[in-house]
Amino acid sequence: MTTVLAAIERANEQLFGDALACEEVHPAVFLPGPVEATRLRAHLLQAEALLRALAVVEDSPRNEESDPHIDAAFRRLEAKVDLLTALVAGFAAGQSTDPLRRLRWSARGVRMSHDAAFAPGTPGLFRVQAAEWLPSPLVLPATVLAAEAGVEPGSQSLWLRFEGLGPVLEAALERHLFRVHRRAVAESRRAG
């Protein structure tokens, strides 16, 4: 038991020690198994593109008054894209099969509950719907650092370390989590 606790402490330090971490609830799953190099490269490129697109959408001004130089044609186009995105997200929302899970994550990794048991060292993919309005999942390679028996029989709390993200993807993930953190702080200030 003490070795499990020591592994959990090490995992917490590695994943969250001096990194910005957020707690959220999203559809997410860990898919165990080795990932071939070509597929891994494709997942990393898709993750980078997804996070870049999220940054463009979430960082763009929502209020038309915020930038008076934007012409009316651009605003109409932006509104049409927003509508199309909402429609596609609505259609795809019914297709999400991953269960909602409480996550604590940073750009280094994630702690999550899971309904299956995995041994430390198990490689695989972490899949999460990173934004409620966006049906495309973020898929990142990960390895189980530590595991602890959960409350439900056969469930575990998993600590997953992201693998091979590279500096650009890691920075994009850090920026995404910073925006999530900033929104959470703003919402708590409005509520309090």
Side-chain angles (χ1 to χ4, degrees):
M1 186 64 159
T2 57
T3 57
V4 171
L5 292 176
I8 290 169
E9 284 182 29
R10 280 193 307 276
N12 276 323
E13 180 59 32
Q14 285 181 25
L15 302 180
F16 312 118
D18 60 351
L20 174 67
C22 296
E23 294 204 22
E24 299 184 280
V25 176
H26 285 294
V29 69
F30 176 65
L31 306 166
V35 183
E36 69 176 46
T38 307
R39 204 168 138 226
L40 179 64
R41 208 166 40 255
H43 284 304
L44 293 172
L45 289 172
Q46 288 170 349
E48 188 176 326
L50 177 79
L51 290 171
R52 199 174 321 122
L54 272 172
V56 167
V57 171
E58 292 179 345
D59 288 344
S60 65
R62 299 268 188 239
N63 184 350
E64 291 183 14
E65 305 303 320
S66 61
D67 188 353
H69 302 292
I70 297 177
D71 62 87
F74 181 73
R75 283 194 291 263
R76 284 193 305 274
L77 178 61
E78 185 178 34
K80 289 177 183 177
V81 170
D82 286 347
L83 177 61
L84 182 59
T85 301
L87 288 171
V88 170
F91 289 134
Q95 299 172 356
S96 178
T97 57
D98 295 337
L100 285 174
R101 300 186 195 275
R102 180 162 297 283
L103 309 173
R104 180 170 190 223
W105 60 326
S106 73
R108 297 178 189 160
V110 62
R111 182 189 71 218
M112 66 185 290
S113 62
H114 207 284
D115 51 1
F118 301 106
T122 302
L125 296 170
F126 169 67
R127 182 174 67 203
V128 63
Q129 185 179 344
E132 292 176 12
W133 56 269
L134 186 67
S136 300
L138 176 65
V139 180
L140 300 170
T143 300
V144 177
L145 282 183
E148 179 180 48
V151 177
E152 302 289 324
S155 71
Q156 283 190 328
S157 290
L158 299 177
W159 284 258
L160 306 173
R161 178 183 58 224
F162 299 142
E163 301 289 349
L165 299 190
V168 173
L169 180 52
E170 188 172 335
L173 186 54
E174 283 176 0
R175 283 191 302 276
H176 171 70
L177 293 171
F178 177 75
R179 286 190 306 276
V180 168
H181 176 71
R182 187 176 61 203
R183 276 193 306 269
V185 168
E187 287 172 14
S188 70
R189 284 183 182 157
R190 278 192 297 268

